[in-house]
Amino acid sequence: MTEGPQALSLAEQIATQLADSIINEEYAPGARIHEIAVSEQFQVSRGPVREALRILENAGLVSIQPRRGAIVTNLTVAEVDDIFEIRAVLVGLAARRLARSSPPKNLSQIEERIAKLQHLTTQADQDAARYVTISQELSFLLCAGTGSEQLTSIVYSLFHQTIRYTRIGLSTPERRQTSAKTWAKLLEYIRAGAEDDAERTARELVDNSRAMAIKMLRSEEGTS
């Protein structure tokens, strides 16, 4: 998991772990999550499990259906298009604000993670999951660097909705190489205080992942 709000309730802790299982495809789209099995897994009553599943429903990861319970949602082109357009605006705003306050207080953390992305793209056996995790951390750092708790909270609330699609959007070595170069370019604009270029480049990062995710989802639809 990436950094986020602390002091989670029991239901939120269960929801977080179930979300990770969905993201890592331990629960496939269309799979049912059984309340009894989850309560036994975490050794809790079914009350916190039900609350956790409602949290996942609000996050768009499951759909709670009559007589069937919680079903893992399918990845759809329409959802990708909608969520990533929203995310692009938010991340673009964060980058603009960060460039405006250049240099931001957390610039060294941003630099460190971008360097890690660049290093990962040079490895023969690339760790795609690690790349996605670091890129998500960078998005949170951009927001945190603005000093706006509201902006950071909103972007974090979209985390589980976007992470599945981000993994698809960064699933090839070529996409990750392009992404790392774009992050490096964004860093240059933030250092230079170039607000317009920083916002445009941050939105480009999200838009590129959206385009790739949509392309692969449509390809899967065509072969199913």
Side-chain angles (χ1 to χ4, degrees):
M1 282 293 297
T2 48
E3 299 173 0
Q6 302 299 312
L8 300 179
S9 68
L10 178 58
E12 289 170 332
Q13 291 176 49
I14 295 170
T16 296
Q17 293 191 53
L18 289 175
D20 286 343
S21 295
I22 293 171
I23 290 165
N24 293 320
E25 299 182 341
E26 294 170 27
Y27 289 107
R32 181 181 174 187
I33 300 179
H34 297 270
E35 281 186 17
I36 295 176
V38 174
S39 64
E40 291 176 350
Q41 176 187 349
F42 293 99
Q43 299 183 331
V44 297
S45 66
R46 293 174 68 177
V49 174
R50 291 194 188 100
E51 187 178 346
L53 293 175
R54 285 194 291 270
I55 292 171
L56 294 180
E57 183 177 40
N58 290 334
L61 292 181
V62 304
S63 171
I64 299 177
Q65 303 176 8
R67 295 181 296 279
R68 292 194 67 197
I71 308 298
V72 177
T73 55
N74 290 301
L75 305 175
T76 68
V77 170
E79 189 176 14
V80 170
D81 208 30
D82 183 34
I83 293 174
F84 272 69
E85 184 174 10
I86 295 169
R87 183 179 175 84
V89 172
L90 294 172
V91 175
L93 174 61
R96 169 177 285 278
R97 288 186 174 182
L98 218 58
R100 185 182 304 159
S101 63
S102 185
K105 294 179 181 178
N106 62 349
L107 184 61
S108 61
Q109 293 175 288
I110 294 172
E111 291 172 335
E112 176 189 354
R113 282 164 176 78
I114 290 176
K116 287 181 179 178
L117 292 186
Q118 293 173 317
H119 175 71
L120 283 172
T121 60
T122 65
Q123 303 304 298
D125 185 18
Q126 292 185 20
D127 188 342
R130 180 64 178 149
Y131 187 98
V132 171
T133 297
I134 295 173
S135 68
Q136 288 288 329
E137 289 175 354
L138 274 165
S139 295
F140 295 141
L141 283 171
L142 286 182
C143 297
T146 67
S148 171
E149 293 183 7
Q150 291 87 349
L151 180 57
T152 304
S153 177
I154 293 170
V155 171
Y156 186 79
S157 72
L158 293 173
F159 169 72
H160 286 122
Q161 290 174 282
T162 58
I163 187 66
R164 289 194 292 174
Y165 302 124
T166 301
R167 289 183 62 164
I168 297 173
L170 293 170
S171 58
T172 68
E174 293 77 16
R175 270 291 301 121
R176 293 192 290 277
Q177 289 167 4
T178 299
S179 169
K181 290 177 182 177
T182 308
W183 273 112
K185 186 166 59 174
L186 174 58
L187 178 60
E188 291 178 6
Y189 290 139
I190 290 173
R191 282 173 174 158
E195 296 180 29
D196 290 344
D197 290 329
E199 180 175 5
R200 174 181 51 78
T201 305
R203 294 184 66 150
E204 180 184 333
L205 278 165
V206 181
D207 288 338
N208 285 345
S209 285
R210 175 175 62 174
M212 184 63 175
I214 288 174
K215 177 181 178 180
M216 296 192 71
L217 285 173
R218 282 180 173 157
S219 176
E220 290 176 4
E221 289 174 355
T223 58
S224 61

